[in-house]
Each structure stands twice: as C-alpha cells, then as structure tokens.
Amino acid sequence: MTTSPATSAVPSRSEAPLGYAAGSVLCGIAGQIQAHAHVWAVRAGDERVTYGELWERAGRVAVVVGAAAPGGRELRVAIGLAPGVDWVGCLLGIWRAGAVAVPVNLDYPPARLRLLADSADLLVHAGGARPGWWPDSKPAVALPGAEAGYLPESGPASASAPGGRTACILHTSGSTGAPKPVVLPHSALARRITDFADLYRITATDQIAQLAAASVDVVLWETLLALTVGGTLRVPHGRQRVPGIGLIRWLAGEQVTVATMTPTMLAALPEVTLPELRLLVVGGEALLPARFRYWIDRHQVANAYGPTEATIATHVAPHVTVNDQPAPLGRPVPGVEDFLLDEDDRPVPDGESGHLHVAGVGLADGYAGLPDRTAASFPTLTIGGRAVRVYRTGDRAWRRPDGQLVYVGRIDRQLNLGGVRLEPEEVEAAVLTLDGVTAAAALAEPAAGRNVLALHAAVPDGRITEATLRAHLAGLLPSTAVPARIHLHPALPLTGYGKPDLQALAALVSPSSPITGPHAAAQAESAAPLPDTVRAWWRQATGAEPATATTDFFSCGGDSLACAELLHRINETFETEIPLADFTAHPTPAFLARALASATEESA
C-alpha cells in the first residue's frame, strides 16, 4: 500500500503550482499532485486512485468539458454521478476546464432534478442511456474513459481563465417552491478550505470521511480538505452511508481520522471505540453536549455553523465540552464578520438575541437568475458608520461574554428537523399542484419526544387520500421533505389575513393524539404477512409494531433516516431493489409484503 508522508503543507497562495492561480482551490491540489503523485487520494470500496491518477481523470473530463465551451464562455456543468472516485475526478476536471460545477443529488426524484437542470448547460453522466430528467435541448456527455484524450499540465488554469470566477452552484430549498441556486466564487472556497485546514490541523496523515450528500456544501469541505493537504478521502457506499452499525463498522475499518455529521447522525451511531478518530465536526442543528458525552470524552468534537450562502461554515467552536448547554456556535472564522441586528437593522446589545447577519470572506455572489431574491438576502447595510454587504441568515442568536454566539432559533418559518433544513412553503407549493387540494400548511409536530414534519391539507370533496397525496409528494420532493404525518381536513382554519392559522392547526394535534382518518379504520384489519425479521426491523425503526396492513411507517414513529436503513436491510437480505421513493409514497406493511412477494415470484 502507498502511504502518505507524515506532513504536508498547503502550497502558499503565492506559488500557484502547475500554473493554477492562487485564488483557486486547484492551487493547493495541484501542489499535492507534484509532491505526492503516488499517494492514495481517494478510496471508495475496492476502487482507489493516487493523486497522479486522479489528476489524469480530471484531465480527461477537462477535455470533453472544454470542447463543449468554445471561446472560453463560462459553462455550468452538472455532475450526474454518485459519490466516489469518478465524482471527485469530474469535479476537478470541470474546474480545470475553467467551467462551473453544479453538483446534484441523484437520489432526488426526477421532477426535482429537472428543476436543478435549469442551472446547468451540460451534464456529465456515468454512461449508458441519457438520464430522463436531463432536458433533450441540452448536451450530455458520458464520463470519458482511459482511452480519451488527456489535458496536460499546460492546459487552461480555471481560476485565471475568462469567466473563471465561479467555482460552483449549490442548490438549497426555496420558499417559492423551487431550489435556490447559490453562486460560490473560487476565492471564497479556497480561503475557507485553507483556513479550516489550519484550524483543525489537517495533515497528509488524515483519512477524511465523505459522508455528505453530493449536492450540499459539506461535500466540498470533506473532499477539498483532504485533497489540498495530501490526505486521503474515504467514501462509503450503500448501507455504509446510513447512520448505524454499518457506518460505525466502516469508520473503524477505514481508520477514519476526521468525520463530519449532524447531531442526529451521531446519535444513531452505536457507542463503540474508534481509536483512530481524532476529530468529529458536528453541525446542521443545535448540539446538546450532555447527550453526546461518550464522544466528547473520547474525541475532539467541534461545533460548526454556517449557511451555504456563506461557504460551508462561518463560525466554529473547535472544542465542545459537556459543560456547554447548549454548545455555542463559536466565533467567526478568519475573514468573517457577524452582526446581531434588530428589526430595523440596528445592532442589539450583547446578551440580547438578534437576527444574525454575516459578512466578509466567503459570501456568495448571490442566487443565479434571481436578482430580486439576491437583493433581499444580500443587502448592503450601514453598520457602525460603514457600508457592509451582508447575508441575512434567518437565524436568531445572542453573544456570550466570551464572544461566542449561541443559537436561539429561526426568525422565519424555515424548519430544522433532524439536521435537515426544510422550507414549509416548498412543501405547500408541491401539495397545491395536486388537483382537489385547496389549501395546505406544513409545520413541525411533536412525536415520540422529537419533532417531525406534518402536513395539513384541505380536501373539500374528500377524493384525495393520504396515500395519493404522499405518492404525489414523493415524486416532487426529496424523501426528507415528504411529511411524516398527513392530516386531511374539509377546510383549514384561517387568520384574519386569509392565511392558514398555524397556531390553530398545531393545537388540533397533540403528541399523544391517536392516529385519525384512514388509520383509525385500519386498526381492525389483519397484519400484512411480513417475514419475522422485517417485522423486527420495523419495530427497531419506529418503536411500534406493524400492527395492520395499512400501518403508516412515518405516523407510528419512523423518519427518513430510519426509512433508508430499513430498506437497505431488506434489499441486502432478500436481494430486492425496492426504491426509497416507492416506499416513501406507500409506507405500509402491505406495500413491503407485495414487493417481497413479487421479488420471490420473479426469482422462482
């Protein structure tokens, strides 16, 4: 096995090895190509590539991408690949060609992927049939193989090429029902990664886990943190990516030293010894240290905060202790300023909560193609007698005497459930596209000691069923945005302004309320003929029995992570291929029984 040297430094911004401009993250990566060409760069299962081999793969991608953008025009390239060696090579190849990367999550339903396609000009996919979600009017190319032409080191330097300011476009949820395309510049990404490498003392000896979905900003933090210092990126597959025993075994087997996850993911891991793990970066939702004493006592646990619009993270508390209740967001990272403002955009006194605004290094250029939304979210304010361009985070926080921020909550309706940020308006907009639904309201609802996403929908004529509505949403939204509970009403209570009364709706359902509607009538039905092992897994995932054929997985305590874990177990054990979207649309024992029976008949 080729091993990494004991130390490796990020090339200085003045060196720009291989001709790559210092303002691009490719500067640091190119330096590692020269110094450690035969060191492992990425390992994903049985597939592994050295830095030199990864650079060659990137060069082949750069050739096909460059051919699609004659004249140096800035080209936006969607990465239609699953996480792994090819994904990393494609990302670097897009940048080597002077183009803009548009990562997408292939687990999204086709309708959502078609929305993301609006932000790209070209698709690079794994080969075979052209993906159905990609528009016929736009070009698509298969990932080039070893026989393709190779872009040598004298090829175009992306950060200095015409139109090379933008590194990538990342999508978040939007209140209009469409994802918001966030435009991140190369300079912001390069500075943030370099500062994080210094802050966390990342070296070439580190084995860094890539656990984030391919469409979120954390995937850039994981990938680039490893490659700019000469470390190794480790990529899990299948059930290994699902928080639980599979992931913990993978972390131990791969001797991972640095991992990033949400508190919800961390809570799902068995408390076992991971002697090689030295750093856990936790973020995405509020962190309660007392809940994670096991990990804090054995590892460095850092609490990180930051919206995509400000490049990965803006605040870090690098050493969380069990005495922090809750863990602070920390102080701004180098180059970032923060401001806590009142409703009139005036600073609030220390110790009082205010709307958190961030400024400085890392701010996105805005939302691609959305000038009005950009102007509203990235205003220039006069603060302390000077003009400052800021991003309005939508979060409330207060400042401790030691200067660290403490998260208070959201100032708008955006929800944070299990580390996943959701826009209720996006869910409501998707619901209202179904004929027969006249009003909709999505909100958090308590269930078994935690909050889940609940939907209240007005169905005047009663033709729409819960199953119909869930199937409709599963085709439009990611699984994490499909409500765990659905309540159907003839009409919704309204406020004086004619909008759904959220407080009145929340009062309709208490944590101990029995399931109503179709589930109430189902209690007398017989249970679906599930194998004993599947019934046991269902109980582990939900805390309840699959009592009847129509028992709803989400209504009886399951969530999106537990859903994914259950299907991984079933598919692996019974050699089936039950799609996550199908079970999300029909989350009942009856559906699983039919799917298992169908698979048995086909194999007979």
Side-chain angles (χ1 to χ4, degrees):
M1 177 187 297
T2 305
T3 58
S4 300
T7 60
S8 176
V10 178
S12 71
R13 295 182 177 86
S14 61
E15 292 176 3
L18 296 183
Y20 285 88
S24 167
V25 73
L26 282 181
C27 171
I29 297 174
Q32 302 306 328
I33 303 302
Q34 290 182 324
H36 308 122
H38 301 294
V39 172
W40 294 126
V42 185
R43 296 182 61 169
D46 295 332
E47 189 175 16
R48 59 194 67 184
V49 294
T50 65
Y51 274 86
E53 292 166 343
L54 179 65
W55 199 246
E56 289 183 5
R57 291 189 182 214
R60 294 195 291 268
V61 172
V63 169
V64 298
V65 170
R73 180 177 65 86
E74 183 177 75
L75 189 75
R76 297 174 176 180
V77 184
I79 305 176
L81 304 168
V85 171
D86 287 336
W87 190 93
V88 178
C90 188
L91 174 71
L92 300 186
I94 291 169
W95 286 342
R96 290 192 66 186
V100 179
V102 184
V104 297
N105 185 348
L106 296 181
D107 290 333
Y108 283 162
R112 188 173 182 86
L113 289 173
R114 282 191 285 271
L115 290 176
L116 304 187
D118 291 341
S119 299
D121 308 305
L122 172 71
L123 171 70
V124 178
H125 61 94
R130 179 189 178 101
W133 58 268
W134 184 252
D136 292 335
S137 60
K138 294 183 177 182
V141 296
L143 187 74
E147 73 285 352
Y150 169 59
L151 180 71
E153 281 70 15
S154 59
S158 67
S160 59
R165 170 181 172 81
T166 303
C168 55
I169 295 178
L170 297 173
H171 291 83
T172 68
S173 296
S175 60
T176 61
K180 295 176 293 184
V182 181
V183 181
L184 295 182
H186 274 289
S187 58
L189 194 57
R191 172 67 184 275
R192 194 71 88 235
I193 294 299
T194 300
D195 288 337
F196 281 149
D198 293 340
L199 175 67
Y200 293 126
R201 295 185 171 89
I202 306 298
T203 72
T205 62
D206 277 309
Q207 311 292 307
I208 299 178
Q210 193 279 290
L211 304 179
S215 59
V216 301
D217 57 354
V218 177
V219 75
L220 298 177
W221 139 264
E222 296 166 328
T223 302
L224 302 178
L225 195 64
L227 299 183
T228 54
V229 301
T232 303
L233 184 70
R234 304 274 184 154
V235 186
H237 289 297
R239 284 188 60 195
Q240 296 171 340
R241 300 188 71 87
V242 180
I245 189 63
L247 175 56
I248 205 75
R249 287 174 176 168
W250 179 84
L251 291 170
E254 296 295 313
Q255 299 183 319
V256 167
T257 63
V258 178
T260 303
M261 58 187 75
T262 66
T264 295
M265 293 173 64
L266 186 57
L269 295 184
E271 294 181 345
V272 299
T273 302
L274 295 175
E276 303 299 327
L277 185 66
R278 69 170 185 85
L279 173 64
L280 267 170
V281 181
V282 182
E285 58 183 325
L287 174 63
L288 299 176
R291 187 184 181 194
F292 300 104
R293 177 183 293 272
Y294 178 89
W295 301 103
I296 293 173
D297 287 345
R298 291 163 176 78
H299 310 278
Q300 178 187 352
V301 176
N303 192 33
Y305 165 86
T308 300
E309 288 87 344
T311 309
I312 306 172
T314 59
H315 293 70
V316 172
H319 294 273
V320 174
T321 72
V322 293
N323 296 322
D324 290 316
Q325 297 297 332
L329 301 181
R331 300 179 180 85
V333 299
V336 171
E337 290 185 279
D338 61 29
F339 306 95
L340 298 175
L341 307 179
D342 62 17
E343 294 180 353
D344 298 316
D345 291 333
R346 295 176 302 189
V348 301
D350 285 351
E352 293 187 12
S353 67
H355 183 179
L356 176 58
H357 293 61
V358 294
V361 173
L363 244 58
D365 287 342
Y367 301 119
L370 300 174
D372 292 342
R373 189 63 183 267
T374 297
S377 298
F378 296 87
T380 297
L381 304 177
T382 300
I383 304 175
R386 61 191 178 97
V388 183
R389 181 176 181 260
V390 300
Y391 170 65
R392 300 186 188 273
T393 68
D395 291 322
R396 290 185 298 115
W398 61 277
R399 197 180 309 278
R400 299 193 330 187
D402 63 1
Q404 298 193 78
L405 293 184
V406 178
Y407 176 77
V408 175
R410 295 291 300 171
I411 67 166
D412 53 23
R413 289 190 58 207
Q414 188 181 75
L415 302 176
N416 191 330
L417 302 176
V420 178
R421 287 194 170 186
L422 300 169
E423 294 279 4
E425 293 92 344
E426 181 181 10
V427 179
E428 293 160 3
V431 174
L432 293 174
T433 62
L434 181 62
D435 187 33
V437 179
T438 58
L443 64 161
E445 181 177 296
R450 59 188 175 85
N451 284 335
V452 299
L453 181 65
L455 172 70
H456 293 263
V459 186
D461 60 8
R463 291 187 300 105
I464 304 298
T465 66
E466 180 180 334
T468 301
L469 187 50
R470 191 181 296 281
H472 173 74
L473 294 178
L476 296 176
L477 301 170
S479 60
T480 52
V482 177
R485 288 185 171 182
I486 295 178
H487 307 284
L488 304 181
H489 311 272
L492 300 187
L494 303 179
T495 66
Y497 294 97
K499 298 180 180 181
D501 189 334
L502 300 182
Q503 291 184 343
L505 289 171
L508 290 177
V509 181
S510 68
S512 58
S513 295
I515 302 300
T516 58
H519 297 294
Q523 296 303 313
E525 296 179 9
S526 60
L530 289 177
D532 290 342
T533 52
V534 175
R535 297 179 66 84
W537 295 337
W538 180 294
R539 288 195 299 271
Q540 293 172 13
T542 66
E545 285 283 342
T548 72
T550 56
T551 297
D552 187 286
F553 180 86
F554 298 100
S555 294
C556 69
D559 57 22
S560 58
L561 286 177
C563 177
E565 172 70 12
L566 175 63
L567 280 190
H568 274 302
R569 283 181 165 184
I570 292 173
N571 288 333
E572 182 173 298
T573 302
F574 295 93
E575 298 183 350
T576 55
E577 295 182 357
I578 304 173
L580 178 61
D582 288 358
F583 182 59
T584 300
H586 308 284
T588 66
F591 170 82
L592 290 179
R594 289 194 301 270
L596 289 170
S598 176
T600 300
E601 292 173 358
E602 291 177 0
S603 62

